Amino acid sequence: MKSNGPDRPSTARTTPEPTPPTTRQAKWLWLAVIAMLIQQAFSYLSTLVLPIAAPAISEATGLSISLVGVYTAIMYVASTFSAGASGAFIRRYGALRISQAALVLMGLGLVFSWSGWAFVFALTALVIGSGSAVSTPASSDILGRYCPPRRAPLIFSIKQTGVPVGGMLAGALVPALIMAYGWEGAFIACGAMCLVLAFLLQPLRAEFDRHRSPSQRISMWVVVVTVREVLTHPRLRELAFFSVSWVGLQAIYGAFLFAFLADGLGYAPETAGFVFAVGNAAAIGARILWGWIASRFINARALLGWLALVMAGSSIATAYFDPGWSVIAIAAVAVIYAGTAISWHGVLLAEIARLSPVDRIGTMTGGVLLFTSTGIMVYPLVFGAILETTGSYALGFLVAAVPAMYTGIQLLLRRPRRSNRVET
């Protein structure tokens, strides 16, 4: 990563710099990228099935679409604690095994959602949230052991394209499954795919989990310790707090954009799904682009600042959608929205890895994501409350843009005094 002045990485490290990759390491690195990209895609897909199916569920059961906000909030309450505790589980059982366990949890949660009962949706939200939260720390732990630091922003961004891939699959697959098999069938089919993937990852465990420590203690205090480590590190603390607003914009894109187009503007489900999928497809290339830029041309802090400003502007533009807009114009805004609000994660994760000791990358990633998850929890809840109270989707998108705008300005105007690495 190119960096100048005070933003240059410190040469002091608490763990040895990884050596250049051997042929064996390079082979396993790309296997890790592919495997973790796929598991990340299905992790994100599992969180989108209900938001996309919400109009059909509402029509069949009478449940309000605004309850998507409550569902998403419950999901990420579980996600918040799960992310914070994930480090100890990863060290004890291995990152690959934890990825498999997460897929099983999410798969079962989706399958049991077919009942259509409100309390079952609440319970499965807890299950899916607990599973989805650990996919990123687990994959970061694996990649951090094989990836050369200079290539980290690009490699982590490639892996993180799993999120828009999952969104693209959800936008294209879920409406088609609903039309063919009903919303219940969509839940069962997506859940079954998660379960099958957990089984298919098993041959990789011997390699990816060979660093696990079976003697690692599991305690609820691990969350407190992880939070304290993040809060006492200035750079990680800033990333943790600022990322709340970025992931909040991602959350309302996933939870409400489809409903806004289908319910608020009256577009056909296939058209709404097309716009949603196109945005996520664009985010795939955007994630790789931002990772490449951060690896070669601009430091991660500045890039994240610019991305924050653009995602805030695209959220404001989304608020002004109306039936008079052409589908092409709406899709263009969705591309910019998703290309920023769903595409910053690889740059953030590489920066966390750069600032963390090699043997604690998974733990510190989980610690930062514990804070990040509060945005996924709070933003849809507030958006749902605004929608229920005012009937306006537009107001929710406007309110959500303000914090992201602030963080972008702060990142671009304030230079950090120093760049230090976590001490252990």
Side-chain angles (χ1 to χ4, degrees), residues 8 14 23 31 45 52 73 91 106 161 164 167 178 182 197 204 248 257 275 281 303 314 319 339 346 349-350 380 392:
R8 182 181 294 115
T14 59
T23 301
L31 282 173
L45 180 148
I52 292 177
R91 290 195 299 275
M106 293 181 290
T161 59
I178 292 172
L197 179 59
L204 300 176
L257 182 66
V275 172
L303 180 58
S314 62
L349 295 174
S392 172

Side-chain angles (χ1 to χ4, degrees), residues 177-262:
L177 288 171
I178 292 172
M179 292 182 66
Y181 305 108
W183 67 266
E184 300 95 335
F187 275 91
I188 294 172
C190 292
M193 286 187 281
C194 290
L195 295 173
V196 170
L197 179 59
F199 174 79
L200 293 177
L201 290 176
Q202 179 60 28
L204 300 176
R205 192 184 182 228
E207 170 66 23
F208 291 155
D209 286 356
R210 63 191 176 92
H211 299 285
R212 67 190 179 93
S213 177
S215 62
Q216 171 67 44
R217 293 179 57 191
I218 303 295
S219 169
M220 286 304 297
W221 285 106
V222 71
V223 178
V224 176
V225 173
T226 301
V227 169
R228 184 177 63 197
E229 287 188 72
V230 171
L231 291 178
T232 55
H233 189 287
R235 298 293 303 280
L236 291 177
R237 182 177 64 240
E238 180 183 60
L239 292 175
F241 288 159
F242 283 6
S243 64
V244 171
S245 64
W246 310 333
V247 83
L249 286 177
Q250 174 189 328
I252 63 173
Y253 179 95
F256 290 104
L257 182 66
F258 183 92
F260 182 22
L261 298 176

